[in-house]
Amino acid sequence: WIWKANGGTTTTNDASSTSVGSEDSTYQANTTAGFSIITYSGTGGTDTIAHGLSQQPDFVIAAPRDSSGSNRVVWHKSIASTTFLKLNTTAGVATSDQITSVSSTTIGVAGNANLSGKSQVIWCWHEVAGYSKFGSYTGNGNDDGPYIHLGFRPKLFVAKRTDSTNDWQVMDSSRNPTNVMDGLLFWNLSNSDTSDAAYNRDFLSNGVKIRGSESYVNASGGTFVYMAWAESPFKYSNAA
């Protein structure tokens, strides 16, 4: 899975001169596709970091680049700013100051997103109509699962249960070219492809239909966040 940033061209934000953020950062931003990569040096406190996008991010992954034992922090617009998910574990939503704020210009960082003396990285995205969408759905526990409207046929669809422990499940149309799709990978595991009818989904012209009852994808009453990117972006032919 690859996202186009800015062709290797970066911008350095001097917080003291721009008055954007409390700490310096360097970002590579593709504002058309709503994606940026930000690097900065952690201070161990609570800081704000410029992200270089034109609007507030909807999905954020933050990690120390040289601290292998630390959690990879995830924030999604469907959870509170004082809560987070861990990309490397099955844990549900946890409460702690990791991503402390998200605005049109900056991301607030603390904890594992701002370890003292560590080189830090953030990847962040915001929705672009016809290209990407970030939201949530509630499972119903049966094979006639919920339909998730995206406004496009997805190339990549990722979901994570937030009210309980479950893996980060990833489905894409390269490994699953036809419906019904049942092949999953997991962001938090080293497993190879897993195929099971209980994971079934259809990628449709305007969204995703859940057709499996497995708790990973469709637990009755379970809350899930999702991230999706388009097969053929309607709005921007060069968005991906």
Side-chain angles (χ1 to χ4, degrees):
W1 309 296
I2 300 172
W3 289 265
K4 183 177 181 180
N6 193 30
T9 300
T10 61
T11 298
T12 298
N13 179 67
D14 182 339
S16 61
S17 62
T18 64
S19 299
V20 179
S22 62
E23 285 295 322
D24 298 346
S25 64
T26 299
Y27 56 80
Q28 184 181 163
N30 182 341
T31 55
T32 301
F35 171 59
S36 71
I37 306 168
I38 310 115
T39 57
Y40 56 99
S41 180
T43 68
T46 299
D47 293 298
T48 51
I49 305 295
H51 53 64
L53 296 177
S54 58
Q55 67 186 68
Q56 177 177 313
D58 297 312
F59 178 51
V60 176
I61 302 173
R65 302 173 74 186
D66 54 0
S67 183
S68 61
S70 299
N71 288 315
R72 276 54 186 150
V73 173
V74 174
W75 180 83
H76 187 285
K77 71 175 187 178
S78 298
I79 65 176
S81 62
T82 55
T83 65
F84 71 106
L85 295 161
K86 301 172 185 177
L87 191 69
N88 52 303
T89 80
T90 63
V93 170
T95 302
S96 177
D97 286 336
Q98 305 284 325
I99 302 299
T100 59
S101 63
V102 182
S103 77
S104 61
T105 56
T106 64
I107 297 170
V109 293
N112 283 294
N114 198 25
L115 294 175
S116 179
K118 298 296 184 181
S119 175
Q120 301 277 157
V121 62
I122 289 175
W123 300 268
C124 61
W125 295 259
H126 67 67
E127 285 188 7
V128 174
Y131 167 62
S132 60
K133 192 167 181 63
F134 308 92
S136 64
Y137 67 92
T138 301
N140 64 13
N142 65 63
D143 291 341
D144 184 14
Y147 167 72
I148 302 155
H149 181 76
L150 302 174
F152 53 81
R153 176 181 170 85
K155 177 74 174 181
L156 172 65
F157 184 82
V158 183
K160 173 71 175 76
R161 189 173 178 183
T162 59
D163 63 329
S164 182
T165 58
N166 268 142
D167 293 313
W168 291 83
Q169 352 109 31
V170 188
M171 188 169 283
D172 63 72
S173 61
S174 293
R175 293 176 302 110
N176 297 265
T178 60
N179 293 326
V180 175
M181 301 176 174
D182 67 353
L184 282 180
L185 288 172
F186 303 99
W187 271 354
N188 56 295
L189 299 174
S190 60
N191 296 30
S192 58
D193 274 315
T194 298
S195 296
D196 190 320
Y199 303 144
N200 280 355
R201 298 172 201 175
D202 286 342
F203 280 10
L204 306 174
S205 61
N206 270 327
V208 173
K209 172 67 175 179
I210 307 296
R211 297 198 180 279
S213 57
E214 166 62 50
S215 64
Y216 284 74
V217 299
N218 192 22
S220 180
T223 303
F224 299 81
V225 294
Y226 69 82
M227 294 66 68
W229 291 269
E231 177 87 45
S232 298
F234 294 158
K235 190 171 182 181
Y236 301 110
S237 62
N238 196 30

